[in-house]
Amino acid sequence: MAEVKEVNKSHNGIEDIYTPVTHNPENILEVNKLKKYYPIGGGALTKAKGYVKAVDGVSFNIKRGTTMGLVGESGCGKSTIGRTILRLQDKSGGEVLFNGEEVHSISKKELRKLRTKMQIIFQDPFSSLSPRLPVGEIIGEAVRQHGIVPKEEHEAYIDKIMASCGLQPFHKDRYPHEFSGGQRQRICIARALAVNPEFVVCDEPVSALDVSIQAQIINLLKDLQEEYNLTYLFISHDLSVVEHISDTVGVMYLGTMVEYGEKEDIYREPLHPYTKALFSAIPMPDPNTKMNRIILKGSIPSPANPPKGCKFHTRCEHCMEVCKTTPPAQYDAGNGHLVACHLYNK
Ligand code: SF4
């Protein structure tokens, strides 16, 4: 049977062509050729001069109860993916299926219900908490609004969630400025968990914290995942942290996913030249082990004017003629280890 392709124009005129995915119930999230373009210039009556292609046709699935790590340099589109999945911003193309339902097609009323199932923990625990509300109110506000538990059980429920996150009942009456960075991140986690989510985007949740506190928060996230059967999309530029928490890993470069697979496969044998360079910078715990650091030449090109062909070709030491003109397809190196590079076109 011929492949059925969706062809339509999104609200900003970007042509969107993709083959709709068939939902697999094992997956909580299915992202198919997701695009997020930001217009340059233009207005209500004038056309945009061009687009910043922050996310340009990214696909991946996340199985229920697992963690997918998303890594890459700053500006590669990691956080944009997280926010577009949650519909905190509109997509420019592609599909985002949560439990088989297209997140960007549902009504505002349905979206409000879905918000409790999909939560986010932000990088900066200092700015993501209202300074005017006591902690009990910050955590309990959405619980009340969404009627998560009956009114008479509200206090006991908040106490339970706080205890799961290592917070004491007396912390409820205190204000965010009275807490350390690590404790504030615990409050953010408690707030996200209180509405009983199934899926949480963790957007650099430990980057703003001291190294000693980072391990506590990561272990807390792992414990909570087990207790509540949570699924995480863990966005980070810290490869050691991602290795510790993830089951699968996606590597982003300039709005595209260049490599994806099981964590063990990606860390044991990275295939894409960009992944190899990125991973060569991971510090070795043994000072006697020699690091074979691969230094990338040049800087990351602008996503408003990305290179033709393979977007990495301007920095790749293996660049061939075909790389300058033709974007590579994704090749499966076995066990679902996907790599977008012409070197693997056998
Ligand atoms: Fe390098 Fe070519 Fe592979 Fe791109 S496709 S990473 S330029 S070898």
Side-chain angles (χ1 to χ4, degrees):
M1 207 173 86
E3 218 177 26
V4 181
K5 291 197 169 175
E6 296 261 324
V7 183
N8 51 46
K9 294 256 183 194
S10 65
H11 67 280
N12 44 16
I14 295 161
E15 193 172 79
D16 185 21
I17 304 173
Y18 61 88
T19 309
V21 288
T22 311
H23 172 54
N24 174 353
E26 270 194 2
N27 297 328
I28 193 166
L29 188 81
E30 285 153 333
V31 175
N32 179 27
K33 302 271 182 225
L34 182 65
K35 288 181 192 162
K36 178 62 193 172
Y37 294 177
Y38 295 101
I40 303 167
L45 300 173
T46 49
K47 258 183 103 179
K49 289 185 201 130
Y51 292 96
V52 173
K53 297 180 177 179
V55 178
D56 198 12
V58 169
S59 304
F60 59 88
N61 301 326
I62 309 184
K63 277 196 184 142
R64 209 172 295 280
T66 66
T67 300
M68 175 178 161
L70 201 53
V71 300
E73 289 166 291
S74 295
C76 67
K78 311 186 289 287
S79 294
T80 308
I81 289 183
R83 281 155 209 253
T84 314
I85 286 173
L86 299 181
R87 200 170 149 184
L88 296 177
Q89 54 191 14
D90 288 334
K91 65 176 185 178
S92 306
E95 284 181 298
V96 180
L97 303 187
F98 179 72
N99 285 326
E101 194 170 27
E102 168 51 90
V103 174
H104 288 259
S105 303
I106 59 177
S107 67
K108 287 223 166 108
K109 197 173 160 203
E110 287 169 314
L111 181 63
R112 196 169 170 273
K113 259 198 259 163
L114 195 71
R115 286 259 179 266
T116 61
K117 298 290 160 215
M118 304 170 86
Q119 287 286 302
I120 185 164
I121 299 165
F122 292 103
Q123 173 179 6
D124 185 2
F126 292 90
S127 60
S128 59
L129 296 172
S130 167
R132 290 187 203 88
L133 293 178
V135 166
E137 193 53 34
I138 288 172
I139 298 172
E141 199 180 15
V143 175
R144 221 179 351 262
Q145 276 176 9
H146 291 282
I148 303 292
V149 288
K151 218 175 165 187
E152 59 279 9
E153 292 173 24
H154 182 88
E155 288 306 305
Y157 178 75
I158 300 300
D159 287 351
K160 179 178 159 252
I161 293 290
M162 287 179 67
S164 305
C165 297
L167 296 163
Q168 304 294 325
F170 65 83
H171 286 147
K172 271 194 291 192
D173 301 322
R174 297 197 177 166
Y175 287 81
H177 72 268
E178 297 177 66
F179 293 88
S180 65
Q183 281 177 312
R184 279 179 185 231
Q185 200 53 301
R186 286 176 190 272
I187 297 167
C188 294
I189 295 169
R191 178 178 59 182
L193 276 195
V195 290
N196 200 15
E198 293 175 28
F199 171 67
V200 183
V201 172
C202 306
D203 189 0
E204 303 264 13
V206 294
S207 330
L209 304 177
D210 289 348
V211 177
S212 56
I213 309 294
Q214 286 187 3
Q216 289 177 19
I217 298 295
I218 294 296
N219 289 335
L220 171 65
L221 287 169
K222 284 186 95 167
D223 291 346
L224 293 171
Q225 179 169 47
E226 227 175 282
E227 193 177 342
Y228 297 101
N229 192 29
L230 296 168
T231 307
Y232 295 138
L233 174 64
F234 193 92
I235 298 166
S236 179
H237 63 268
D238 187 329
L239 298 169
S240 307
V241 170
V242 169
E243 183 178 16
H244 187 63
I245 197 166
S246 307
D247 298 292
T248 55
V249 175
V251 183
M252 295 282 300
Y253 182 78
L254 213 57
T256 54
M257 191 169 284
V258 295
E259 192 161 354
Y260 169 85
E262 298 289 325
K263 173 189 67 184
E264 290 75 17
D265 293 337
I266 299 254
Y267 277 75
R268 194 187 58 240
E269 196 186 0
L271 298 175
H272 195 281
Y274 174 64
T275 318
K276 285 182 183 175
L278 206 61
F279 282 31
S280 74
I282 300 177
M284 294 286 177
D286 180 357
N288 297 320
T289 309
K290 195 172 174 291
M291 282 177 69
N292 291 320
R293 181 97 197 256
I294 302 169
I295 309 285
L296 289 175
K297 53 184 180 184
S299 54
I300 193 163
S302 163
N305 188 20
K308 285 208 167 57
C310 170
K311 288 184 180 177
F312 186 59
H313 87 253
T314 52
R315 302 171 82 192
C316 180
E317 57 184 6
H318 304 286
C319 180
M320 304 170 280
E321 274 315 303
V322 63
C323 307
K324 297 177 186 167
T325 54
T326 314
Q330 272 192 334
Y331 303 102
D332 191 340
N335 196 28
H337 187 167
L338 304 175
V339 56
C341 173
H342 289 300
L343 289 174
Y344 301 91
N345 182 11
K346 298 281 184 272

